Amino acid sequence: MIQIVTGDARPIFKQIVDGIRMQVITGKLPVGSKLPSVRGLSMQLTVNTNTVAKAYTELLSHGLVESRKGLGLFVIKPKQILNEQEREDRLETAVDTLINETIGLDFNNDEIMHMVQSKLVQLYDKKTK
Amino acid sequence: MIQIVTGDARPIFKQIVDGIRMQVITGKLPVGSKLPSVRGLSMQLTVNTNTVAKAYTELLSHGLVESRKGLGLFVIKPKQILNEQEREDRLETAVDTLINETIGLDFNNDEIMHMVQSKLVQLYDKKTK
Amino acid sequence: MIQIVTGDARPIFKQIVDGIRMQVITGKLPVGSKLPSVRGLSMQLTVNTNTVAKAYTELLSHGLVESRKGLGLFVIKPKQILNEQEREDRLETAVDTLINETIGLDFNNDEIMHMVQSKLVQLYDKKTK
Amino acid sequence: MIQIVTGDARPIFKQIVDGIRMQVITGKLPVGSKLPSVRGLSMQLTVNTNTVAKAYTELLSHGLVESRKGLGLFVIKPKQILNEQEREDRLETAVDTLINETIGLDFNNDEIMHMVQSKLVQLYDKKTK
DNA sequence: GTGGTCTAGACCACG
DNA sequence: GTGGTCTAGACCACT
């Protein structure tokens, strides 16, 4: 179940993207499964259909799902589309963001490392369950 | 020296905020030191003065600097404003974001951990240099 | 100047994307130049601002332009983002489309090759002029 | 054998149309031969009968096949419907599309020419086999 | 003034 | 019923 938080820094469509991605990561939406329909999800979240459609467009362009005309969107096996340099850059940027967000909260390195480790393991557990 | 990146996802004022915070953390701007003037920094970075002013306003509201009338902005000893729960939540959210961003890039846990470790060490080095 | 054709098989936003791309290819929009504003272009083409915005979003995700907040969109030097396999696949798909479109028009191989060659040379000429 | 690709940009009915056209061009479906029945093909491809019916309607309107009542659809000798100008225009448009699609992929002219040549030769081989 | 987000509501192509 | 496109009009963040 995706939670839309109005006070969130992220726009609604991004929250939906992240929510779907998280469900894919945790295995709630396995490869081959169908995403909720645009209209269905928009009603459930009480947001406009265009907003959901925009989120879905982003998922499409990220290669996480594919569109089967008249049927809906389906989770696909992630293809490696980006080159090595680009992949590395994106990871680096994401880590920079993490550090920037946590810096000033006065965590030491071990605490941060521990949280990352713990989250990664949690995901792995959910996935293989 | 703060680097403004035009293609960055962050708005310019946020890049300035982050840049100043980083200089405080790494000790380049120790407690008690004076921030560059709004006009001076805006010329140096070739950005609008409003943009720098907005960044400084944010630093003030974050309690990282204080204004001494007629003199400028000065770095102050950070007070611990957030409670434990809030700190923990922010770290958790930041880590969730990291993991969400790296999904579909098909990195394994070790690669992510390694990048985080490496970035943290880099930061530590800068600080003690 | 971009031409919007209502009877075209392509949706309007795609015609805009193609039009901008063509202007980049032919050098009418060199690297570093600013795209027309969303509102300006939408008025000029008499289409909705959202339609232009959608086209611009696509150009952004294709890495052809970057957004400078509050200033507009600017053409950037194309980064090689895709891996070799993906690049090759896309070229192959594009050529398949060409052949599929021209087949049944009873052109022989030489005529097709000649048209491709001629178009490519034209572009090269415009670019270096 | 027609291949239906779920992730294809083309709708399924178009894939069927293209598939049939290709079989006619390569001689697998010579003039006078009978197309598979709507129901038979729909079962074979596991697609909706409406979808196959739509594809067949398109083939009829393109003048590639004719309907013999109670017997089915038969491949007929293609009449040249388009005039010279129209043919030339279509080829030109198709080539423009090819070039537009490959922009940003940073291929040089030779690479594009080579791919076109290679695809055309492949087709020729199939035809004469 | 610039792009980015969101809503409401309509229409179309596809299966 | 499914997604995809388009319009009209509003509001926000950034420079």
PDB file of all heavy atoms in Angstrom, chain A residues 87-102:
ATOM      1  N   ARG A  87      26.259   4.161 -14.497  1.00  0.00           N
ATOM      2  CA  ARG A  87      25.796   3.433 -13.305  1.00  0.00           C
ATOM      3  C   ARG A  87      26.585   3.901 -12.082  1.00  0.00           C
ATOM      4  O   ARG A  87      26.022   4.233 -11.047  1.00  0.00           O
ATOM      5  CB  ARG A  87      26.038   1.928 -13.472  1.00  0.00           C
ATOM      6  CG  ARG A  87      24.984   1.183 -14.225  1.00  0.00           C
ATOM      7  CD  ARG A  87      25.366  -0.271 -14.316  1.00  0.00           C
ATOM      8  NE  ARG A  87      25.166  -1.013 -13.074  1.00  0.00           N
ATOM      9  CZ  ARG A  87      26.029  -1.877 -12.552  1.00  0.00           C
ATOM     10  NH1 ARG A  87      27.189  -2.117 -13.147  1.00  0.00           N
ATOM     11  NH2 ARG A  87      25.748  -2.512 -11.442  1.00  0.00           N
ATOM     12  N   GLU A  88      27.900   3.901 -12.236  1.00  0.00           N
ATOM     13  CA  GLU A  88      28.789   4.302 -11.137  1.00  0.00           C
ATOM     14  C   GLU A  88      28.451   5.724 -10.680  1.00  0.00           C
ATOM     15  O   GLU A  88      28.339   5.987  -9.481  1.00  0.00           O
ATOM     16  CB  GLU A  88      30.240   4.236 -11.630  1.00  0.00           C
ATOM     17  CG  GLU A  88      31.279   4.303 -10.527  1.00  0.00           C
ATOM     18  CD  GLU A  88      31.417   2.964  -9.811  1.00  0.00           C
ATOM     19  OE1 GLU A  88      30.818   1.958 -10.278  1.00  0.00           O
ATOM     20  OE2 GLU A  88      32.112   2.920  -8.786  1.00  0.00           O
ATOM     21  N   ASP A  89      28.264   6.622 -11.650  1.00  0.00           N
ATOM     22  CA  ASP A  89      27.951   8.014 -11.331  1.00  0.00           C
ATOM     23  C   ASP A  89      26.665   8.118 -10.513  1.00  0.00           C
ATOM     24  O   ASP A  89      26.585   8.883  -9.554  1.00  0.00           O
ATOM     25  CB  ASP A  89      27.791   8.837 -12.620  1.00  0.00           C
ATOM     26  CG  ASP A  89      29.129   9.153 -13.264  1.00  0.00           C
ATOM     27  OD1 ASP A  89      30.162   8.802 -12.665  1.00  0.00           O
ATOM     28  OD2 ASP A  89      29.143   9.733 -14.362  1.00  0.00           O
ATOM     29  N   ARG A  90      25.663   7.344 -10.914  1.00  0.00           N
ATOM     30  CA  ARG A  90      24.383   7.446 -10.219  1.00  0.00           C
ATOM     31  C   ARG A  90      24.491   6.925  -8.801  1.00  0.00           C
ATOM     32  O   ARG A  90      23.901   7.482  -7.877  1.00  0.00           O
ATOM     33  CB  ARG A  90      23.310   6.676 -10.989  1.00  0.00           C
ATOM     34  CG  ARG A  90      23.048   7.309 -12.336  1.00  0.00           C
ATOM     35  CD  ARG A  90      21.649   7.084 -12.799  1.00  0.00           C
ATOM     36  NE  ARG A  90      21.495   7.625 -14.155  1.00  0.00           N
ATOM     37  CZ  ARG A  90      20.409   7.521 -14.874  1.00  0.00           C
ATOM     38  NH1 ARG A  90      19.359   6.878 -14.392  1.00  0.00           N
ATOM     39  NH2 ARG A  90      20.337   8.038 -16.091  1.00  0.00           N
ATOM     40  N   LEU A  91      25.233   5.837  -8.634  1.00  0.00           N
ATOM     41  CA  LEU A  91      25.430   5.319  -7.277  1.00  0.00           C
ATOM     42  C   LEU A  91      26.134   6.379  -6.437  1.00  0.00           C
ATOM     43  O   LEU A  91      25.723   6.672  -5.306  1.00  0.00           O
ATOM     44  CB  LEU A  91      26.265   4.032  -7.318  1.00  0.00           C
ATOM     45  CG  LEU A  91      26.681   3.466  -5.964  1.00  0.00           C
ATOM     46  CD1 LEU A  91      25.475   3.220  -5.057  1.00  0.00           C
ATOM     47  CD2 LEU A  91      27.468   2.169  -6.139  1.00  0.00           C
ATOM     48  N   GLU A  92      27.168   6.963  -7.018  1.00  0.00           N
ATOM     49  CA  GLU A  92      27.946   7.962  -6.285  1.00  0.00           C
ATOM     50  C   GLU A  92      27.063   9.146  -5.876  1.00  0.00           C
ATOM     51  O   GLU A  92      27.113   9.605  -4.740  1.00  0.00           O
ATOM     52  CB  GLU A  92      29.106   8.448  -7.171  1.00  0.00           C
ATOM     53  CG  GLU A  92      30.128   9.266  -6.385  1.00  0.00           C
ATOM     54  CD  GLU A  92      31.365   9.583  -7.207  1.00  0.00           C
ATOM     55  OE1 GLU A  92      31.581   8.927  -8.253  1.00  0.00           O
ATOM     56  OE2 GLU A  92      32.110  10.494  -6.792  1.00  0.00           O
ATOM     57  N   THR A  93      26.255   9.611  -6.812  1.00  0.00           N
ATOM     58  CA  THR A  93      25.363  10.728  -6.516  1.00  0.00           C
ATOM     59  C   THR A  93      24.406  10.373  -5.385  1.00  0.00           C
ATOM     60  O   THR A  93      24.166  11.176  -4.478  1.00  0.00           O
ATOM     61  CB  THR A  93      24.546  11.103  -7.775  1.00  0.00           C
ATOM     62  OG1 THR A  93      25.449  11.478  -8.804  1.00  0.00           O
ATOM     63  CG2 THR A  93      23.605  12.261  -7.477  1.00  0.00           C
ATOM     64  N   ALA A  94      23.873   9.147  -5.445  1.00  0.00           N
ATOM     65  CA  ALA A  94      22.924   8.721  -4.417  1.00  0.00           C
ATOM     66  C   ALA A  94      23.588   8.674  -3.046  1.00  0.00           C
ATOM     67  O   ALA A  94      22.994   9.074  -2.040  1.00  0.00           O
ATOM     68  CB  ALA A  94      22.352   7.352  -4.777  1.00  0.00           C
ATOM     69  N   VAL A  95      24.830   8.205  -3.020  1.00  0.00           N
ATOM     70  CA  VAL A  95      25.548   8.126  -1.747  1.00  0.00           C
ATOM     71  C   VAL A  95      25.875   9.532  -1.246  1.00  0.00           C
ATOM     72  O   VAL A  95      25.753   9.817  -0.047  1.00  0.00           O
ATOM     73  CB  VAL A  95      26.827   7.271  -1.890  1.00  0.00           C
ATOM     74  CG1 VAL A  95      27.665   7.367  -0.627  1.00  0.00           C
ATOM     75  CG2 VAL A  95      26.472   5.828  -2.193  1.00  0.00           C
ATOM     76  N   ASP A  96      26.269  10.403  -2.168  1.00  0.00           N
ATOM     77  CA  ASP A  96      26.523  11.799  -1.782  1.00  0.00           C
ATOM     78  C   ASP A  96      25.297  12.400  -1.117  1.00  0.00           C
ATOM     79  O   ASP A  96      25.402  13.103  -0.109  1.00  0.00           O
ATOM     80  CB  ASP A  96      26.896  12.630  -3.018  1.00  0.00           C
ATOM     81  CG  ASP A  96      28.346  12.436  -3.434  1.00  0.00           C
ATOM     82  OD1 ASP A  96      29.124  11.922  -2.594  1.00  0.00           O
ATOM     83  OD2 ASP A  96      28.703  12.777  -4.566  1.00  0.00           O
ATOM     84  N   THR A  97      24.148  12.131  -1.707  1.00  0.00           N
ATOM     85  CA  THR A  97      22.906  12.663  -1.143  1.00  0.00           C
ATOM     86  C   THR A  97      22.689  12.134   0.268  1.00  0.00           C
ATOM     87  O   THR A  97      22.342  12.886   1.178  1.00  0.00           O
ATOM     88  CB  THR A  97      21.710  12.266  -2.031  1.00  0.00           C
ATOM     89  OG1 THR A  97      21.939  12.761  -3.355  1.00  0.00           O
ATOM     90  CG2 THR A  97      20.412  12.848  -1.487  1.00  0.00           C
ATOM     91  N   LEU A  98      22.893  10.832   0.427  1.00  0.00           N
ATOM     92  CA  LEU A  98      22.734  10.226   1.760  1.00  0.00           C
ATOM     93  C   LEU A  98      23.600  10.949   2.777  1.00  0.00           C
ATOM     94  O   LEU A  98      23.129  11.344   3.855  1.00  0.00           O
ATOM     95  CB  LEU A  98      23.138   8.748   1.705  1.00  0.00           C
ATOM     96  CG  LEU A  98      23.381   8.078   3.059  1.00  0.00           C
ATOM     97  CD1 LEU A  98      22.072   7.934   3.831  1.00  0.00           C
ATOM     98  CD2 LEU A  98      24.056   6.725   2.898  1.00  0.00           C
ATOM     99  N   ILE A  99      24.865  11.121   2.420  1.00  0.00           N
ATOM    100  CA  ILE A  99      25.810  11.715   3.359  1.00  0.00           C
ATOM    101  C   ILE A  99      25.431  13.161   3.657  1.00  0.00           C
ATOM    102  O   ILE A  99      25.461  13.615   4.801  1.00  0.00           O
ATOM    103  CB  ILE A  99      27.243  11.611   2.800  1.00  0.00           C
ATOM    104  CG1 ILE A  99      27.667  10.133   2.799  1.00  0.00           C
ATOM    105  CG2 ILE A  99      28.209  12.455   3.619  1.00  0.00           C
ATOM    106  CD1 ILE A  99      29.007   9.873   2.202  1.00  0.00           C
ATOM    107  N   ASN A 100      25.037  13.870   2.591  1.00  0.00           N
ATOM    108  CA  ASN A 100      24.630  15.260   2.777  1.00  0.00           C
ATOM    109  C   ASN A 100      23.424  15.389   3.702  1.00  0.00           C
ATOM    110  O   ASN A 100      23.317  16.328   4.487  1.00  0.00           O
ATOM    111  CB  ASN A 100      24.291  15.872   1.418  1.00  0.00           C
ATOM    112  CG  ASN A 100      25.132  17.100   1.158  1.00  0.00           C
ATOM    113  OD1 ASN A 100      25.184  17.984   2.007  1.00  0.00           O
ATOM    114  ND2 ASN A 100      25.801  17.127   0.028  1.00  0.00           N
ATOM    115  N   GLU A 101      22.522  14.440   3.596  1.00  0.00           N
ATOM    116  CA  GLU A 101      21.310  14.484   4.418  1.00  0.00           C
ATOM    117  C   GLU A 101      21.601  14.154   5.884  1.00  0.00           C
ATOM    118  O   GLU A 101      20.933  14.656   6.781  1.00  0.00           O
ATOM    119  CB  GLU A 101      20.277  13.473   3.887  1.00  0.00           C
ATOM    120  CG  GLU A 101      19.668  13.840   2.547  1.00  0.00           C
ATOM    121  CD  GLU A 101      18.815  15.104   2.623  1.00  0.00           C
ATOM    122  OE1 GLU A 101      18.141  15.288   3.648  1.00  0.00           O
ATOM    123  OE2 GLU A 101      18.858  15.899   1.666  1.00  0.00           O
ATOM    124  N   THR A 102      22.573  13.279   6.097  1.00  0.00           N
ATOM    125  CA  THR A 102      22.799  12.802   7.461  1.00  0.00           C
ATOM    126  C   THR A 102      23.852  13.617   8.195  1.00  0.00           C
ATOM    127  O   THR A 102      23.923  13.611   9.420  1.00  0.00           O
ATOM    128  CB  THR A 102      23.246  11.327   7.445  1.00  0.00           C
ATOM    129  OG1 THR A 102      24.340  11.179   6.551  1.00  0.00           O
ATOM    130  CG2 THR A 102      22.103  10.434   7.008  1.00  0.00           C
TER     131      THR A 102
END
